[in-house]
Amino acid sequence: MHELDVAGRRFTIERATRHDVQGIARLLADDVLGAGRESAADSAYASAFDEIDADSNQYLAVVKNASGEIVGTFQ
């Protein structure tokens, strides 16, 4: 886990876990582009996570605010 300070706000960056999948899906669906094509209820996210997680060449990260809410993701 890494800590990040942006304009006085603290965030953590860490490797995503299966527990984070719903939060990542909600984040993607709560976007102008994703609102029409993403669904936080889509079970395909769990399968996609499993594929990414099984590949040692991949690193899926989540950025969480001080409350632990996922506010960003990158791969």
Side-chain angles (χ1 to χ4, degrees):
M1 175 175 27
H2 301 280
E3 292 191 8
L4 179 65
D5 182 26
V6 178
R9 296 175 61 195
R10 295 200 73 58
F11 299 91
T12 58
I13 301 171
E14 56 193 59
R15 180 181 286 275
T17 66
R18 202 161 215 289
H19 179 74
D20 296 319
V21 171
Q22 282 293 80
I24 293 169
R26 275 192 303 273
L27 182 69
L28 295 173
D30 187 32
D31 176 85
V32 174
L33 297 175
R37 65 178 182 213
E38 307 291 342
S39 169
D42 190 343
S43 63
Y45 289 111
S47 296
F49 173 80
D50 290 340
E51 285 187 44
I52 293 167
D53 195 49
D55 185 341
S56 63
N57 295 307
Q58 302 295 321
Y59 186 94
L60 180 63
V62 288
V63 181
K64 296 180 180 179
N65 64 15
S67 300
E69 177 186 10
I70 296 174
V71 295
T73 186
F74 59 92
Q75 181 178 354

